[in-house]
Amino acid sequence: MQTSADQNTGKHGRRSRAPLWIAVLGLGCLFSGVHQPAQAQTLPWSINGSTPAEIKTVPVEQFIVGSDKTEFGALRFIGGIVLSGGAEFGGFSGLIVTEDGKGLLAVSDVGQWFSAEINRENGRISGLENTVIGPIRDANGDALNKGRKWYADAEGLAWNDGQVIMSFERQSGKVRTADLAKKGFLAPASILPESKPLNSIKGNRGIEAIAVPPAGSAFDGSLIAIGERILSAGHHSGWVLTGAKSRRFKIRRRGDFDITDAEFLPNGDLLILERRFSLTLGSAVRIRRISAADFTPERLSTGIILDGLDLMTADLTHQIDNMEGMAVRVAPDGTPIILLISDDNLNFFQRTLLLEFALRPEEFGVIPQPRPAAANLPRG
């Protein structure tokens, strides 16, 4: 078990992927006050305005308790940890990880940032250090949540050149950006003008996932936003936001699963993280891969209903909870590494899990992509 209450962090460099966005995930904790930490050299975002958070971690060595099985569908389980803190810690639903796998940024659905550095032993996550939190702030520098969850129900998170992009379920500004590289946790979350077409969406099944397409892909320069359960003719709805233009698309809904996050592979394939909660069917998590060949302007103009291949499905016989956040990085050998985080809803009976998987290259024709030249590119 590991405990961390440090507060250092730093800055980075990254290849440009798309417009002005970055996303982060946060969490609530029982600490208050503003902290001005010294900057380390491992993180691309500043943590000015943060507060040290004491976090305990316990390793997750098996994805199925009592089983040494490591291969699950197209994924190989690497390892994970269970996180715990104070009564206000948890609720994570958006995630970013640096390309070297050492830095983690998250945002919570109660309007908090969470930053940490990841420790590893023998290639597996063993704990966290330099853990800090801070409120997402509005243009006046005040906490965006104003004491009410729905004011800052942050869900999705993405990063681009020092900017984070956050999606919100119930905010009138469904997508916001913040300059974490320069201003850290003191940066105001400003409404992204391009997200105006999404503002008419109401309720708590709104925009859950956002993703920035990789450079050179069909939608390079755009932002992808997908609803948790915004249905059109029974299928999930997503949007391609490009400047003042927006294009709506559909993803086939299968098995009563809701969409909780999305992220691109380097080759332009889109990964979808899904969650099911059902008293009759039971709870489960699924990851789907939508081919880059289908996710193009030409294919979307035909009215295609995107579907894709299932990479993994796991139920409560596995070490899962309410998995809501996903980030992807590329290992030095080109293997895509998938990091998942769960939203415990600040519920005593749930857990905050951080789980890591490798995408098996021999499955479904997935070929590892070369790692970008820059050493520390955040992905989320």
Side-chain angles (χ1 to χ4, degrees), residues 28-31 54 84-91 110 344-348:
C29 208
L30 45 150
F31 301 88
E54 184 175 351
S84 60
E88 297 298 318
F89 177 85
V110 292
D344 67 352
N345 293 304
L346 304 180
N347 187 325
F348 176 80

Side-chain angles (χ1 to χ4, degrees), residues 260-343:
T260 60
D261 210 347
E263 174 61 307
F264 283 94
L265 294 177
N267 68 350
D269 287 355
L270 180 63
L271 298 186
I272 302 293
L273 177 64
E274 299 174 288
R275 170 209 55 215
R276 181 185 69 202
F277 177 77
S278 170
L279 295 177
T280 56
L281 299 175
S283 297
V285 59
R286 181 172 66 199
I287 299 177
R288 267 194 281 175
R289 179 177 68 90
I290 295 173
S291 171
D294 285 333
F295 198 58
T296 66
E298 295 76 18
R299 292 289 283 160
L300 295 190
S301 66
T302 68
I304 183 176
I305 299 174
L306 301 170
D307 195 340
L309 297 167
D310 294 356
L311 297 184
M312 180 190 74
T313 302
D315 59 19
L316 289 177
T317 62
H318 303 71
Q319 295 257 39
I320 65 167
D321 204 281
N322 178 29
M323 312 310 297
E324 288 216 1
M326 176 174 62
V328 177
R329 64 184 179 90
V330 181
D333 66 356
T335 302
I337 305 296
I338 300 170
L339 192 65
L340 305 179
I341 196 167
S342 66
D343 176 359

Side-chain angles (χ1 to χ4, degrees), residues 47-178:
I47 55 170
N48 286 337
S50 67
T51 300
E54 184 175 351
I55 307 301
K56 297 179 180 180
T57 63
V58 176
V60 177
E61 298 179 351
Q62 298 171 317
F63 194 41
I64 298 178
V65 176
S67 171
D68 292 330
K69 180 180 178 181
T70 59
E71 295 184 355
F72 301 89
L75 304 185
R76 175 174 58 83
F77 178 65
I78 300 174
I81 52 177
V82 182
L83 290 72
S84 60
E88 297 298 318
F89 177 85
F92 300 112
S93 49
L95 186 64
I96 290 173
V97 65
T98 55
E99 195 68 60
D100 61 7
K102 296 180 179 179
L104 176 154
L105 182 66
V107 67
S108 77
D109 56 15
V110 292
Q112 292 278 347
W113 302 110
F114 174 54
S115 174
E117 295 176 32
I118 299 173
N119 292 328
R120 296 176 185 275
E121 294 181 5
N122 300 320
R124 300 165 64 99
I125 297 176
S126 59
L128 302 177
E129 63 181 352
N130 299 334
T131 51
V132 297
I133 63 167
I136 300 173
R137 300 180 183 276
D138 62 18
N140 297 319
D142 299 324
L144 189 65
N145 66 21
K146 296 180 173 61
R148 296 183 180 182
K149 174 180 175 178
W150 75 271
Y151 279 125
D153 191 1
E155 297 293 344
L157 193 62
W159 172 277
N160 185 74
D161 288 340
Q163 295 284 326
V164 291
I165 304 179
M166 297 156 280
S167 63
F168 293 83
E169 277 193 323
R170 289 176 279 192
Q171 272 276 358
S172 58
K174 295 294 183 183
V175 181
R176 293 174 179 248
T177 66

